[in-house]
Amino acid sequence: MSTTTPTEIAKAYEPHEVEARWVARWTELGVFHADPTSTKPAFALACPPPNVTGSLHLGHAVNGTVQDILARTKRMQGFEVLWQPGTDHAGIATQFVVEKKLYKEEKKTRHDLGREEFLKRVWAWKQEYGDTIHGQYKRLGASLDYDRWRFTMDESYSHAVRKAFVALYEKGYIYRGNRMINWCTSCLTSLSDLEVTQKEQADKLYHVRYPLASGQGELVVATVRPETMFGDMAVAVNPNDDRYKALVGQLVKLPLTDRTIPVIADEHVEVDFGTGALKITPAHDMNDYEIGLRHNLEVRNTLTPRGILNEAAGPYAGQHRDKARKLVVADLEEQGFLTKIEDYTHNVGRCSRCDTVLEPYLSDQWFVRMDELAKPAIDVVESGEVKFHPDRWGGVYLDWMRNIRDWNISRQLWWGHQIPIWYCPDGHYTTGETDPTACATCQKTELTRDNDVLDTWFSSALWTYATLGWPDETPELAKFHPTTVLSTARDIIYLWVARMIFTSLAFRKEIPFSHVIIHATILDPEGRRMSKSKGTGVDPLVVMDKFGTDAARFWMAGAGTSSQDVRFREEKIETYRNFANKLWNASRFVLMKAAPEGSGVPARPARLESAVDRWIVSRLHAVVADVTRHIEAFDFSDATTALYEFTWNELCDWYLELAKPRLDAGDESVRWVLREVLDTLLRLLHPFMPFITEEIHQLLVARGWSEAAETLQHRAWPQADPTAADPEAEAEMGLLIETVRTLRNMRAELKIEPAKLAPKVFIVATPADRAALERISGLIARMARAEEVVVAGLDAPPDAGKAATGLAGENQVILPLEGFGDVIAKEVTRLQKELVNLEQEQGRVHGQLGNEAFVGKAPAAVVDKLRARQEEIGTQLETIRQQLAKWT
RNA sequence: GGGCGUUUAGCUCAGUUGGUUAGAGCGCCACGUUGACAUCGUGGAGGCCACUGGUUCGAGUCCAGUAAUGCCCACCA
């Protein structure tokens, strides 16, 4: 493939070929490679590593765009930029998809293959999707340092994970606990609280009769899970519940069994929920477990890890929990133990991965004790050392950190970092950065390693520094850590952002990043969250193919930093496809008309005579300042708006149109201004639309019309020149625009054929505007399709004969109607409409100014402005009334 | 049950520290093939800024409340 920009210019921008060419070219030039020995100031971003579960979705593309804009801008601003890429092994998620595939294709489970063989399959999967992701980022134009691609299970990264585990263990932060955890009976692993999704579910509340052992009466308990009754160890009532006070301490018979259990009193029981009596199943309910601890109840497990009732359930053993419930209910019913069944809707915790209803399960797991570790992580956000954008997310983070609970880090999976703990026959634990050969406590050498792996977030928590070589003190670490900005989705603030902050503080004694951008979530056109399973996900590549990557990026830049969530619609991207084409054609115009081959580089004029030139330069520098400021504040959406409006509404609609006759006349200053504006604009647009801007830039370079850089990434970011601000030129241009619009409007309302030139147009100018209007009369004529525009003073109004009159401020625009047919009726209608509008406004203004409180208290500038307007309205009304009188 | 958002034109969204005529894109209507661009141009129609009170000379913007809607967090069986 050729890597040079073609010289002939297509009529419409063709993204595909251009994009492929530049992706290759950037790589060839090595512009994305970060140099730790550079003397430039560092700017580092760690790209959130996507899961290797599949390919990138729109959310990744949005986040990639946000980060790329920063990376590209900062490079141009003279920073040594590192944008660190990589992928996450995503333990449970990846294992889950590979198991699913395995079952679908070979009808095998991971146990059929065995651990080693299964892991081979996962690595193969990882290879495939890791490559896909790599390619997708390149397509997006992401200026990641691809040479530094990392994977959370790379050897060096695994070393960091091991180091982190051992360090925490040795400081006493990691402990083994036999505790209630969330258990997935399908994935067969424990989950952290964050991996639980609460979902509302319609269930039944069964009222079950527990007869008193004494034979005198009964206690009725309400439960949604009667099948767990074989684990019941007590019935609890509230100590203040008068109904049951006398029963506390007595025994009740557990239905369907021959066991008796005690009635106990516990504050936890709500008097007015259900029957006020709660069956206590310590092994299968978090609360019951707590109550059991308080009352020394036995924890009797009645379920297997797969959710099958075990031998403790007597005749029901071997039944799955759902089936067992039906059987138990039927038997209770039959034996007269069931007094009532109520409909009951409540929240049920489900596996965020496979949606299976989770089981509270007592088991041995490894935990990280969080209380002490959380403290500094709270401090750095409270102090503003780490800032969230928008800042409300800082509050969300703090709420969570302040109420943090210990973190279950062991997972009963195969895919991941195997926990570096060895057990000796005596049950001692041994860990170490290298595999131990003997028990650290008793020196026995028969060691078995823990089979479990670490929560995938344990490893990604080290991302900002483990990717840079930690625990070794590498040059990269010295140069690029702490990183500057982290941009991510809000749903991993707890899972990932919070944990990066506390681990970095723990291991590096420094924050991992100064700014956290929480980008907006992209929704489907109906406002729902995009989801793969519902088929509402959008493949960014499809969008990029259809409309061009730059168009997609331009939209994503705005969408990603929008203050609220954004619905995706193809039409939105289409808008920016059109914008890219507009830019392309504007450039094409400049190249063909202002910079034809061999025309040379225009010299800088000593002074810009034309107000039009000074206006666009003034506007350009305002835009440079605005865009720069917005990027600094991460308000890309404002930046794109400013760029879009300047390019389309000012440059294309007015400046280029006005430049046409001047170019024909050989005006050199127009050429100089065009070169200046386009070259600057391309640099401003480059972070947002890297491909098209590079392409145009090279076309300009080929004509000597731009600094001879191989890529815009080597060009300097534009500096706003405050002395370019020219209010006078802007005012004059405002006059031009207003006058032209008035004339166009008149012609349209009078239905004058667009093609027909007006032979002569008069403007009766106020003394203040007269000189300016005379200067720009030729331009007005051009833009408003008149052969000639004649400016006259108020003292000498022209005799225009039969003519239509319009208002541009206080200046009258007179359009003689000779030759335009019978349009008088239309003119009268038009004038009347205008009259009504003005009279209404006059009423309002009059009322305002008549209000003493307003005049007395409002700032003088506001009052003066209104007074001026009142005067203007007076003049305008007079003009219109005179005209109307002439016609009627 | 708590917390945080959102509610502005037919649709999707902007609206700075309150300033009097509330904007854009798409869609709609009318017109248009002047050599950058029909992926375009010109003009136009279209809004009780969710509702109710309050503060203020002045409220889309500030305050209180109400209603819809979305998301997060939370151990009432």
Side-chain angles (χ1 to χ4, degrees):
Chain A
M1 182 186 303
S2 158
T3 54
T4 48
T5 297
T7 43
E8 72 277 18
I9 310 155
K11 195 171 172 181
Y13 175 59
E14 270 305 326
H16 298 102
E17 181 269 340
V18 172
E19 288 171 13
R21 189 147 40 73
W22 278 100
V23 165
R25 182 70 178 139
W26 288 324
T27 306
E28 190 179 292
L29 293 170
V31 285
F32 305 154
H33 190 72
D35 175 8
T37 66
S38 164
T39 53
K40 294 178 187 172
F43 183 92
L45 297 143
C47 185
N51 293 351
V52 289
T53 42
S55 44
L56 298 187
H57 59 245
L58 206 53
H60 292 115
V62 166
N63 196 203
T65 300
V66 166
Q67 294 170 82
D68 194 45
I69 288 165
L70 288 170
R72 286 179 183 268
T73 304
K74 291 293 162 183
R75 262 183 219 107
M76 295 173 76
Q77 287 178 340
F79 287 83
E80 184 65 29
V81 172
L82 167 64
W83 185 16
Q84 174 67 48
T87 43
D88 192 315
H89 70 280
I92 187 168
T94 309
Q95 176 165 325
F96 186 64
V97 293
V98 175
E99 281 186 286
K100 223 165 118 181
K101 178 170 178 255
L102 184 65
Y103 189 77
K104 198 176 161 193
E105 289 172 4
E106 303 175 37
K107 292 272 173 281
K108 282 183 185 161
T109 68
R110 70 177 200 261
H111 301 283
D112 295 331
L113 296 187
R115 191 160 182 155
E116 198 178 330
E117 177 57 27
F118 177 73
L119 288 179
K120 270 190 203 160
R121 303 289 185 100
V122 189
W123 277 104
W125 170 282
K126 177 258 158 187
Q127 200 53 49
E128 184 184 342
Y129 281 92
D131 289 353
T132 304
I133 289 166
H134 187 112
Q136 285 176 308
Y137 272 126
K138 284 207 158 180
R139 281 278 323 266
L140 183 65
S143 59
L144 291 155
D145 190 346
Y146 294 94
D147 300 340
R148 298 182 186 277
W149 196 275
R150 295 288 182 273
F151 177 57
T152 50
M153 279 174 58
D154 283 346
E155 203 181 318
S156 68
Y157 200 102
S158 298
H159 174 58
V161 171
R162 178 101 171 230
K163 170 89 186 174
F165 183 95
V166 172
L168 288 176
Y169 184 90
E170 284 173 351
K171 285 182 187 153
Y173 290 121
I174 287 183
Y175 67 93
R176 186 159 175 83
N178 183 253
R179 305 218 328 220
M180 292 294 274
I181 43 81
N182 307 291
W183 181 263
C184 178
T185 57
S186 172
C187 299
L188 296 179
T189 179
S190 66
L191 299 169
S192 72
D193 297 333
L194 291 173
E195 292 161 299
V196 180
T197 310
Q198 296 289 338
K199 280 192 188 168
E200 203 168 75
Q201 180 171 311
D203 261 318
K204 302 286 182 196
L205 193 57
Y206 301 95
H207 291 241
V208 185
R209 177 180 289 158
Y210 283 33
L212 287 171
S214 61
Q216 311 281 315
E218 62 187 19
L219 205 50
V220 177
V221 303
T223 179
V224 284
R225 302 198 59 193
E227 75 281 6
T228 63
M229 62 185 292
F230 307 105
D232 285 8
M233 289 299 137
V235 172
V237 298
N238 190 290
N240 302 314
D241 192 333
D242 293 332
R243 294 172 296 178
Y244 302 130
K245 261 184 181 161
L247 302 180
V248 175
Q250 296 200 37
L251 294 174
V252 292
K253 285 189 192 160
L254 189 60
L256 309 183
T257 70
D258 48 13
R259 286 168 55 209
T260 57
I261 52 176
V263 178
I264 60 174
D266 195 283
E267 296 279 357
H268 170 81
V269 182
E270 297 284 333
V271 173
D272 48 9
F273 186 88
T275 61
L278 173 64
K279 74 187 201 61
I280 303 299
T281 320
H284 299 292
D285 184 281
M286 301 275 183
N287 293 309
D288 291 8
Y289 179 71
E290 296 295 325
I291 294 172
L293 285 181
R294 290 200 282 273
H295 295 87
N296 278 314
L297 299 176
E298 179 196 338
V299 179
R300 184 176 295 192
N301 180 24
T302 65
L303 282 176
T304 70
R306 292 182 183 277
I308 310 271
L309 272 65
N310 66 18
E311 64 287 349
Y316 304 93
Q319 299 292 349
H320 184 263
R321 61 187 180 186
D322 296 335
K323 181 80 189 297
R325 181 179 302 180
K326 291 197 182 97
L327 296 172
V328 168
V329 168
D331 290 348
L332 287 172
E333 173 102 71
E334 195 189 310
Q335 297 178 32
F337 287 111
L338 216 50
T339 65
K340 192 156 99 180
I341 302 178
E342 286 178 293
D343 284 329
Y344 181 60
T345 303
H346 63 147
N347 285 329
V348 176
R350 288 171 176 272
C351 176
S352 61
R353 191 58 48 196
C354 71
D355 209 41
T356 301
V357 173
L358 295 173
E359 206 54 66
Y361 206 68
L362 190 68
S363 70
D364 289 321
Q365 305 283 339
W366 289 97
F367 293 88
V368 177
R369 187 160 56 78
M370 288 304 303
D371 49 0
E372 284 172 38
L373 291 167
K375 268 182 206 142
I378 291 168
D379 293 344
V380 293
V381 172
E382 277 179 342
S383 70
E385 208 183 328
V386 175
K387 267 200 182 63
F388 282 77
H389 308 266
D391 63 2
R392 65 169 181 276
W393 295 111
V396 171
Y397 164 92
L398 285 172
D399 282 346
W400 186 76
M401 265 297 183
R402 287 174 182 143
N403 297 302
I404 199 157
R405 290 184 289 171
D406 288 355
W407 174 18
N408 171 203
I409 49 168
S410 38
R411 296 290 180 278
Q412 290 65 49
L413 304 169
W414 291 353
W415 177 241
H417 302 277
Q418 195 172 350
I419 293 180
I421 288 281
W422 281 258
Y423 304 99
C424 76
D426 294 345
H428 301 131
Y429 310 141
T430 303
T431 187
E433 283 175 48
T434 52
D435 294 1
T437 51
C439 173
T441 312
C442 64
Q443 316 309 323
K444 287 199 175 128
T445 53
E446 305 152 56
L447 296 177
T448 36
R449 185 170 184 173
D450 195 303
N451 268 322
D452 293 353
V453 300
L454 290 164
D455 179 4
T456 197
W457 299 103
F458 187 92
S459 52
S460 41
L462 322 177
W463 189 248
T464 60
Y465 47 93
T467 49
L468 301 180
W470 185 87
D472 297 333
E473 289 299 328
T474 60
E476 282 79 3
L477 204 49
K479 178 79 182 174
F480 297 113
H481 203 271
T483 65
T484 320
V485 173
L486 178 86
S487 174
T488 192
R490 74 169 75 101
D491 50 346
I492 52 175
I493 292 176
Y494 306 144
L495 287 165
W496 190 50
V497 180
R499 285 159 178 173
M500 279 197 286
I501 293 176
F502 91 73
T503 69
S504 178
L505 289 165
F507 299 131
R508 304 265 324 143
K509 304 274 179 274
E510 64 186 8
I511 54 172
F513 31 69
S514 309
H515 301 276
V516 181
I517 299 175
I518 302 297
H519 68 247
T521 304
I522 306 303
L523 307 170
D524 74 7
E526 277 74 48
R528 296 168 306 193
R529 299 193 67 169
M530 287 191 176
S531 100
K532 258 187 229 165
S533 53
K534 285 182 196 142
T536 51
V538 171
D539 183 348
L541 258 59
V542 172
V543 177
M544 282 152 55
D545 271 337
K546 192 159 172 187
F547 300 107
T549 300
D550 288 324
R553 284 176 57 117
F554 207 76
W555 176 76
M556 292 191 289
T561 57
S562 155
S563 55
Q564 54 178 302
D565 290 346
V566 180
R567 300 180 190 203
F568 169 82
R569 273 164 164 273
E570 275 202 351
E571 296 91 301
K572 294 182 180 182
I573 315 288
E574 200 177 350
T575 300
Y576 298 111
R577 189 267 318 259
N578 296 351
F579 176 64
N581 193 240
K582 190 74 178 176
L583 176 69
W584 180 256
N585 273 291
S587 307
R588 184 167 170 256
F589 168 77
V590 171
L591 284 160
M592 292 190 311
K593 292 293 159 54
E597 208 90 49
S599 62
V601 178
R604 177 181 196 132
R607 187 194 126 71
L608 293 174
E609 299 295 337
S610 160
V612 182
D613 291 341
R614 296 199 310 272
W615 164 74
I616 199 72
V617 171
S618 172
R619 289 297 309 134
L620 176 72
H621 282 273
V623 170
V624 169
D626 286 350
V627 169
T628 307
R629 197 183 65 225
H630 291 140
I631 291 176
E632 297 291 341
F634 311 127
D635 289 333
F636 301 157
S637 143
D638 291 341
T640 54
T641 305
L643 286 164
Y644 183 95
E645 288 178 350
F646 174 78
T647 304
W648 204 308
N649 304 336
E650 299 186 297
L651 180 60
C652 291
D653 287 352
W654 292 99
Y655 191 78
L656 291 189
E657 289 307 320
L658 290 167
K660 286 174 183 173
R662 298 173 63 205
L663 282 171
D664 291 342
D667 186 330
E668 275 289 289
S669 63
V670 179
R671 296 181 67 229
W672 181 82
V673 171
L674 282 173
R675 177 182 192 270
E676 197 67 13
V677 172
L678 187 55
D679 184 60
T680 306
L681 182 60
L682 288 175
R683 283 180 283 153
L684 284 182
L685 278 166
H686 178 258
F688 302 89
M689 304 186 123
F691 296 105
I692 190 172
T693 50
E694 287 277 34
E695 187 69 5
I696 296 168
H697 182 242
Q698 286 312 311
L699 290 166
L700 291 179
V701 168
R703 305 279 166 95
W705 258 50
S706 214
E707 207 178 295
E710 287 168 307
T711 162
L712 277 164
Q713 283 285 277
H714 291 159
R715 296 286 310 277
W717 185 253
Q719 293 284 320
D721 174 6
T723 67
D726 194 330
E728 276 170 35
E730 295 203 18
E732 189 162 325
M733 195 59 196
L735 204 55
L736 186 152
I737 290 172
E738 193 177 8
T739 308
V740 169
R741 288 214 167 119
T742 298
L743 266 164
R744 283 172 175 171
N745 172 274
M746 287 166 72
R747 292 180 57 123
E749 300 240 322
L750 296 172
K751 308 262 183 230
I752 293 173
E753 287 169 57
K756 209 157 187 174
L757 284 178
K760 206 170 218 178
V761 166
F762 298 98
I763 299 174
V764 181
T766 62
D769 292 340
R770 185 165 177 179
L773 283 167
E774 274 170 357
R775 282 196 296 271
I776 58 179
S777 60
L779 300 174
I780 294 173
R782 158 97 188 179
M783 298 298 280
R785 303 203 53 70
E787 279 173 37
E788 188 186 7
V789 168
V790 178
V791 180
L794 288 170
D795 50 330
D799 177 16
K802 200 174 66 162
T805 310
L807 294 164
E810 284 181 284
N811 306 303
Q812 285 178 51
V813 178
I814 299 169
L815 174 65
L817 297 175
E818 206 61 58
F820 290 135
D822 186 17
V823 294
I824 291 171
K826 291 195 187 84
E827 169 66 359
V828 169
T829 312
R830 198 181 66 80
L831 287 171
Q832 277 167 343
K833 197 174 98 186
E834 218 161 314
L835 186 69
V836 170
N837 286 343
L838 278 170
E839 280 173 347
Q840 274 175 0
E841 193 186 345
Q842 188 185 43
R844 270 194 308 271
V845 172
H846 190 71
Q848 274 295 320
L849 289 171
N851 183 344
E852 275 176 45
F854 170 73
V855 178
K857 292 187 177 178
V862 173
V863 179
D864 288 349
K865 203 174 136 195
L866 207 60
R867 287 222 170 95
R869 179 60 190 151
Q870 186 183 37
E871 214 163 296
E872 197 180 60
I873 293 172
T875 318
Q876 290 178 333
L877 276 173
E878 197 185 330
T879 305
I880 290 181
R881 289 201 180 107
Q882 275 173 15
Q883 289 305 311
L884 271 172
K886 245 164 75 179
W887 297 122
T888 50

